[in-house]
PDB file of all heavy atoms in Angstrom:
ATOM      1  N   PHE A 206     -22.008 -43.121 -34.955  1.00  0.00           N
ATOM      2  CA  PHE A 206     -21.137 -43.467 -36.071  1.00  0.00           C
ATOM      3  C   PHE A 206     -21.916 -44.133 -37.198  1.00  0.00           C
ATOM      4  O   PHE A 206     -21.777 -43.780 -38.372  1.00  0.00           O
ATOM      5  CB  PHE A 206     -20.021 -44.396 -35.588  1.00  0.00           C
ATOM      6  CG  PHE A 206     -19.043 -44.790 -36.668  1.00  0.00           C
ATOM      7  CD1 PHE A 206     -17.939 -43.997 -36.947  1.00  0.00           C
ATOM      8  CD2 PHE A 206     -19.222 -45.959 -37.388  1.00  0.00           C
ATOM      9  CE1 PHE A 206     -17.035 -44.352 -37.941  1.00  0.00           C
ATOM     10  CE2 PHE A 206     -18.326 -46.326 -38.387  1.00  0.00           C
ATOM     11  CZ  PHE A 206     -17.228 -45.526 -38.663  1.00  0.00           C
ATOM     12  N   PHE A 207     -22.754 -45.093 -36.862  1.00  0.00           N
ATOM     13  CA  PHE A 207     -23.436 -45.879 -37.887  1.00  0.00           C
ATOM     14  C   PHE A 207     -24.787 -45.315 -38.309  1.00  0.00           C
ATOM     15  O   PHE A 207     -25.263 -45.599 -39.403  1.00  0.00           O
ATOM     16  CB  PHE A 207     -23.636 -47.321 -37.397  1.00  0.00           C
ATOM     17  CG  PHE A 207     -22.374 -48.135 -37.401  1.00  0.00           C
ATOM     18  CD1 PHE A 207     -21.770 -48.509 -36.213  1.00  0.00           C
ATOM     19  CD2 PHE A 207     -21.789 -48.534 -38.589  1.00  0.00           C
ATOM     20  CE1 PHE A 207     -20.598 -49.259 -36.209  1.00  0.00           C
ATOM     21  CE2 PHE A 207     -20.625 -49.287 -38.603  1.00  0.00           C
ATOM     22  CZ  PHE A 207     -20.025 -49.654 -37.411  1.00  0.00           C
ATOM     23  N   ARG A 208     -25.445 -44.529 -37.452  1.00  0.00           N
ATOM     24  CA  ARG A 208     -26.796 -44.070 -37.745  1.00  0.00           C
ATOM     25  C   ARG A 208     -26.927 -43.363 -39.098  1.00  0.00           C
ATOM     26  O   ARG A 208     -27.905 -43.593 -39.826  1.00  0.00           O
ATOM     27  CB  ARG A 208     -27.307 -43.161 -36.620  1.00  0.00           C
ATOM     28  CG  ARG A 208     -28.790 -42.798 -36.764  1.00  0.00           C
ATOM     29  CD  ARG A 208     -29.257 -41.865 -35.664  1.00  0.00           C
ATOM     30  NE  ARG A 208     -29.318 -42.510 -34.357  1.00  0.00           N
ATOM     31  CZ  ARG A 208     -28.480 -42.291 -33.364  1.00  0.00           C
ATOM     32  NH1 ARG A 208     -27.461 -41.429 -33.522  1.00  0.00           N
ATOM     33  NH2 ARG A 208     -28.598 -42.915 -32.208  1.00  0.00           N
ATOM     34  N   PRO A 209     -25.985 -42.495 -39.492  1.00  0.00           N
ATOM     35  CA  PRO A 209     -26.149 -41.798 -40.774  1.00  0.00           C
ATOM     36  C   PRO A 209     -26.174 -42.716 -41.986  1.00  0.00           C
ATOM     37  O   PRO A 209     -26.642 -42.320 -43.059  1.00  0.00           O
ATOM     38  CB  PRO A 209     -24.921 -40.869 -40.824  1.00  0.00           C
ATOM     39  CG  PRO A 209     -24.501 -40.704 -39.410  1.00  0.00           C
ATOM     40  CD  PRO A 209     -24.802 -42.007 -38.755  1.00  0.00           C
ATOM     41  N   SER A 210     -25.676 -43.939 -41.839  1.00  0.00           N
ATOM     42  CA  SER A 210     -25.668 -44.870 -42.966  1.00  0.00           C
ATOM     43  C   SER A 210     -26.968 -45.646 -43.088  1.00  0.00           C
ATOM     44  O   SER A 210     -27.147 -46.420 -44.024  1.00  0.00           O
ATOM     45  CB  SER A 210     -24.497 -45.854 -42.834  1.00  0.00           C
ATOM     46  OG  SER A 210     -24.702 -46.727 -41.743  1.00  0.00           O
ATOM     47  N   MET A 211     -27.878 -45.453 -42.143  1.00  0.00           N
ATOM     48  CA  MET A 211     -29.136 -46.196 -42.144  1.00  0.00           C
ATOM     49  C   MET A 211     -30.266 -45.357 -42.714  1.00  0.00           C
ATOM     50  O   MET A 211     -30.390 -44.178 -42.409  1.00  0.00           O
ATOM     51  CB  MET A 211     -29.496 -46.624 -40.716  1.00  0.00           C
ATOM     52  CG  MET A 211     -28.435 -47.436 -40.026  1.00  0.00           C
ATOM     53  SD  MET A 211     -28.910 -47.829 -38.318  1.00  0.00           S
ATOM     54  CE  MET A 211     -27.293 -48.168 -37.602  1.00  0.00           C
ATOM     55  N   ASP A 212     -31.101 -45.975 -43.504  1.00  0.00           N
ATOM     56  CA  ASP A 212     -32.291 -45.321 -44.039  1.00  0.00           C
ATOM     57  C   ASP A 212     -33.434 -45.574 -43.064  1.00  0.00           C
ATOM     58  O   ASP A 212     -34.351 -46.347 -43.324  1.00  0.00           O
ATOM     59  CB  ASP A 212     -32.617 -45.886 -45.422  1.00  0.00           C
ATOM     60  CG  ASP A 212     -33.756 -45.143 -46.104  1.00  0.00           C
ATOM     61  OD1 ASP A 212     -34.288 -44.187 -45.504  1.00  0.00           O
ATOM     62  OD2 ASP A 212     -34.116 -45.509 -47.231  1.00  0.00           O
ATOM     63  N   LEU A 213     -33.354 -44.921 -41.919  1.00  0.00           N
ATOM     64  CA  LEU A 213     -34.302 -45.196 -40.847  1.00  0.00           C
ATOM     65  C   LEU A 213     -35.728 -44.783 -41.187  1.00  0.00           C
ATOM     66  O   LEU A 213     -36.687 -45.407 -40.737  1.00  0.00           O
ATOM     67  CB  LEU A 213     -33.847 -44.499 -39.564  1.00  0.00           C
ATOM     68  CG  LEU A 213     -32.586 -45.078 -38.920  1.00  0.00           C
ATOM     69  CD1 LEU A 213     -32.098 -44.186 -37.789  1.00  0.00           C
ATOM     70  CD2 LEU A 213     -32.835 -46.491 -38.412  1.00  0.00           C
ATOM     71  N   GLU A 214     -35.859 -43.735 -41.981  1.00  0.00           N
ATOM     72  CA  GLU A 214     -37.206 -43.266 -42.321  1.00  0.00           C
ATOM     73  C   GLU A 214     -37.993 -44.343 -43.056  1.00  0.00           C
ATOM     74  O   GLU A 214     -39.212 -44.455 -42.894  1.00  0.00           O
ATOM     75  CB  GLU A 214     -37.116 -41.999 -43.176  1.00  0.00           C
ATOM     76  CG  GLU A 214     -38.479 -41.410 -43.518  1.00  0.00           C
ATOM     77  CD  GLU A 214     -38.370 -40.109 -44.297  1.00  0.00           C
ATOM     78  OE1 GLU A 214     -37.237 -39.590 -44.429  1.00  0.00           O
ATOM     79  OE2 GLU A 214     -39.416 -39.612 -44.759  1.00  0.00           O
ATOM     80  N   ASN A 215     -37.309 -45.123 -43.881  1.00  0.00           N
ATOM     81  CA  ASN A 215     -37.986 -46.156 -44.662  1.00  0.00           C
ATOM     82  C   ASN A 215     -37.777 -47.552 -44.101  1.00  0.00           C
ATOM     83  O   ASN A 215     -38.094 -48.545 -44.760  1.00  0.00           O
ATOM     84  CB  ASN A 215     -37.490 -46.118 -46.112  1.00  0.00           C
ATOM     85  CG  ASN A 215     -37.910 -44.849 -46.820  1.00  0.00           C
ATOM     86  OD1 ASN A 215     -39.090 -44.508 -46.856  1.00  0.00           O
ATOM     87  ND2 ASN A 215     -36.944 -44.113 -47.347  1.00  0.00           N
ATOM     88  N   SER A 216     -37.241 -47.645 -42.886  1.00  0.00           N
ATOM     89  CA  SER A 216     -37.085 -48.936 -42.222  1.00  0.00           C
ATOM     90  C   SER A 216     -38.298 -49.200 -41.339  1.00  0.00           C
ATOM     91  O   SER A 216     -38.897 -48.270 -40.804  1.00  0.00           O
ATOM     92  CB  SER A 216     -35.812 -48.943 -41.374  1.00  0.00           C
ATOM     93  OG  SER A 216     -34.668 -48.805 -42.183  1.00  0.00           O
ATOM     94  N   LEU A 217     -38.635 -50.462 -41.216  1.00  0.00           N
ATOM     95  CA  LEU A 217     -39.852 -50.837 -40.500  1.00  0.00           C
ATOM     96  C   LEU A 217     -39.544 -51.643 -39.250  1.00  0.00           C
ATOM     97  O   LEU A 217     -38.617 -52.450 -39.237  1.00  0.00           O
ATOM     98  CB  LEU A 217     -40.765 -51.674 -41.405  1.00  0.00           C
ATOM     99  CG  LEU A 217     -41.193 -51.040 -42.736  1.00  0.00           C
ATOM    100  CD1 LEU A 217     -42.022 -52.038 -43.533  1.00  0.00           C
ATOM    101  CD2 LEU A 217     -41.978 -49.768 -42.485  1.00  0.00           C
ATOM    102  N   VAL A 218     -40.323 -51.418 -38.228  1.00  0.00           N
ATOM    103  CA  VAL A 218     -40.304 -52.270 -37.039  1.00  0.00           C
ATOM    104  C   VAL A 218     -41.746 -52.679 -36.800  1.00  0.00           C
ATOM    105  O   VAL A 218     -42.549 -51.900 -36.284  1.00  0.00           O
ATOM    106  CB  VAL A 218     -39.740 -51.534 -35.808  1.00  0.00           C
ATOM    107  CG1 VAL A 218     -39.730 -52.480 -34.606  1.00  0.00           C
ATOM    108  CG2 VAL A 218     -38.327 -51.036 -36.074  1.00  0.00           C
ATOM    109  N   LEU A 219     -42.085 -53.880 -37.205  1.00  0.00           N
ATOM    110  CA  LEU A 219     -43.451 -54.366 -37.060  1.00  0.00           C
ATOM    111  C   LEU A 219     -43.549 -55.296 -35.857  1.00  0.00           C
ATOM    112  O   LEU A 219     -42.548 -55.799 -35.362  1.00  0.00           O
ATOM    113  CB  LEU A 219     -43.880 -55.087 -38.334  1.00  0.00           C
ATOM    114  CG  LEU A 219     -43.742 -54.280 -39.637  1.00  0.00           C
ATOM    115  CD1 LEU A 219     -44.234 -55.098 -40.822  1.00  0.00           C
ATOM    116  CD2 LEU A 219     -44.496 -52.967 -39.536  1.00  0.00           C
ATOM    117  N   GLY A 220     -44.777 -55.550 -35.408  1.00  0.00           N
ATOM    118  CA  GLY A 220     -44.957 -56.377 -34.222  1.00  0.00           C
ATOM    119  C   GLY A 220     -44.466 -55.700 -32.968  1.00  0.00           C
ATOM    120  O   GLY A 220     -43.890 -56.331 -32.077  1.00  0.00           O
ATOM    121  N   ARG A 221     -44.683 -54.390 -32.875  1.00  0.00           N
ATOM    122  CA  ARG A 221     -44.147 -53.642 -31.736  1.00  0.00           C
ATOM    123  C   ARG A 221     -44.761 -54.078 -30.413  1.00  0.00           C
ATOM    124  O   ARG A 221     -44.167 -53.882 -29.357  1.00  0.00           O
ATOM    125  CB  ARG A 221     -44.373 -52.145 -31.957  1.00  0.00           C
ATOM    126  CG  ARG A 221     -43.670 -51.629 -33.209  1.00  0.00           C
ATOM    127  CD  ARG A 221     -43.806 -50.133 -33.362  1.00  0.00           C
ATOM    128  NE  ARG A 221     -43.148 -49.663 -34.578  1.00  0.00           N
ATOM    129  CZ  ARG A 221     -42.898 -48.405 -34.849  1.00  0.00           C
ATOM    130  NH1 ARG A 221     -43.264 -47.465 -33.987  1.00  0.00           N
ATOM    131  NH2 ARG A 221     -42.299 -48.058 -35.972  1.00  0.00           N
ATOM    132  N   GLU A 222     -45.938 -54.696 -30.480  1.00  0.00           N
ATOM    133  CA  GLU A 222     -46.551 -55.172 -29.242  1.00  0.00           C
ATOM    134  C   GLU A 222     -45.691 -56.250 -28.589  1.00  0.00           C
ATOM    135  O   GLU A 222     -45.670 -56.398 -27.361  1.00  0.00           O
ATOM    136  CB  GLU A 222     -47.961 -55.712 -29.510  1.00  0.00           C
ATOM    137  CG  GLU A 222     -48.037 -56.962 -30.382  1.00  0.00           C
ATOM    138  CD  GLU A 222     -47.941 -56.676 -31.866  1.00  0.00           C
ATOM    139  OE1 GLU A 222     -47.721 -55.499 -32.243  1.00  0.00           O
ATOM    140  OE2 GLU A 222     -48.087 -57.632 -32.659  1.00  0.00           O
ATOM    141  N   ASN A 223     -44.963 -56.996 -29.403  1.00  0.00           N
ATOM    142  CA  ASN A 223     -44.058 -58.011 -28.851  1.00  0.00           C
ATOM    143  C   ASN A 223     -42.889 -57.372 -28.132  1.00  0.00           C
ATOM    144  O   ASN A 223     -42.444 -57.848 -27.093  1.00  0.00           O
ATOM    145  CB  ASN A 223     -43.519 -58.889 -29.982  1.00  0.00           C
ATOM    146  CG  ASN A 223     -44.192 -60.236 -30.007  1.00  0.00           C
ATOM    147  OD1 ASN A 223     -44.518 -60.780 -28.975  1.00  0.00           O
ATOM    148  ND2 ASN A 223     -44.421 -60.749 -31.193  1.00  0.00           N
ATOM    149  N   LEU A 224     -42.382 -56.303 -28.734  1.00  0.00           N
ATOM    150  CA  LEU A 224     -41.271 -55.599 -28.120  1.00  0.00           C
ATOM    151  C   LEU A 224     -41.705 -54.999 -26.785  1.00  0.00           C
ATOM    152  O   LEU A 224     -40.956 -55.006 -25.804  1.00  0.00           O
ATOM    153  CB  LEU A 224     -40.777 -54.506 -29.061  1.00  0.00           C
ATOM    154  CG  LEU A 224     -39.334 -54.019 -28.889  1.00  0.00           C
ATOM    155  CD1 LEU A 224     -38.356 -55.179 -28.903  1.00  0.00           C
ATOM    156  CD2 LEU A 224     -38.989 -53.028 -30.001  1.00  0.00           C
ATOM    157  N   GLU A 225     -42.918 -54.492 -26.753  1.00  0.00           N
ATOM    158  CA  GLU A 225     -43.465 -53.945 -25.511  1.00  0.00           C
ATOM    159  C   GLU A 225     -43.616 -55.047 -24.466  1.00  0.00           C
ATOM    160  O   GLU A 225     -43.335 -54.838 -23.273  1.00  0.00           O
ATOM    161  CB  GLU A 225     -44.817 -53.284 -25.774  1.00  0.00           C
ATOM    162  CG  GLU A 225     -45.481 -52.690 -24.541  1.00  0.00           C
ATOM    163  CD  GLU A 225     -44.639 -51.589 -23.900  1.00  0.00           C
ATOM    164  OE1 GLU A 225     -43.973 -50.828 -24.637  1.00  0.00           O
ATOM    165  OE2 GLU A 225     -44.645 -51.506 -22.646  1.00  0.00           O
ATOM    166  N   LYS A 226     -44.043 -56.215 -24.916  1.00  0.00           N
ATOM    167  CA  LYS A 226     -44.179 -57.347 -23.996  1.00  0.00           C
ATOM    168  C   LYS A 226     -42.826 -57.726 -23.403  1.00  0.00           C
ATOM    169  O   LYS A 226     -42.707 -58.000 -22.197  1.00  0.00           O
ATOM    170  CB  LYS A 226     -44.781 -58.540 -24.731  1.00  0.00           C
ATOM    171  CG  LYS A 226     -44.991 -59.763 -23.856  1.00  0.00           C
ATOM    172  CD  LYS A 226     -45.613 -60.907 -24.654  1.00  0.00           C
ATOM    173  CE  LYS A 226     -45.815 -62.139 -23.781  1.00  0.00           C
ATOM    174  NZ  LYS A 226     -46.389 -63.270 -24.539  1.00  0.00           N
ATOM    175  N   ALA A 227     -41.799 -57.726 -24.247  1.00  0.00           N
ATOM    176  CA  ALA A 227     -40.455 -58.059 -23.769  1.00  0.00           C
ATOM    177  C   ALA A 227     -39.995 -57.052 -22.727  1.00  0.00           C
ATOM    178  O   ALA A 227     -39.409 -57.420 -21.701  1.00  0.00           O
ATOM    179  CB  ALA A 227     -39.474 -58.093 -24.942  1.00  0.00           C
ATOM    180  N   ARG A 228     -40.266 -55.781 -22.979  1.00  0.00           N
ATOM    181  CA  ARG A 228     -39.861 -54.747 -22.023  1.00  0.00           C
ATOM    182  C   ARG A 228     -40.579 -54.922 -20.696  1.00  0.00           C
ATOM    183  O   ARG A 228     -39.976 -54.794 -19.619  1.00  0.00           O
ATOM    184  CB  ARG A 228     -40.167 -53.362 -22.588  1.00  0.00           C
ATOM    185  CG  ARG A 228     -39.604 -52.221 -21.733  1.00  0.00           C
ATOM    186  CD  ARG A 228     -39.961 -50.876 -22.335  1.00  0.00           C
ATOM    187  NE  ARG A 228     -41.375 -50.595 -22.250  1.00  0.00           N
ATOM    188  CZ  ARG A 228     -41.975 -50.086 -21.170  1.00  0.00           C
ATOM    189  NH1 ARG A 228     -41.268 -49.806 -20.086  1.00  0.00           N
ATOM    190  NH2 ARG A 228     -43.273 -49.860 -21.165  1.00  0.00           N
TER     191      ARG A 228
END
Side-chain angles (χ1 to χ4, degrees):
F206 181 87
F207 286 110
R208 188 182 290 108
S210 68
M211 304 177 202
D212 186 0
L213 291 171
E214 183 177 352
N215 293 306
S216 296
L217 303 177
V218 181
L219 305 181
R221 299 185 181 193
E222 65 279 5
N223 256 325
L224 203 53
E225 180 61 36
K226 181 179 180 181
R228 188 181 69 83

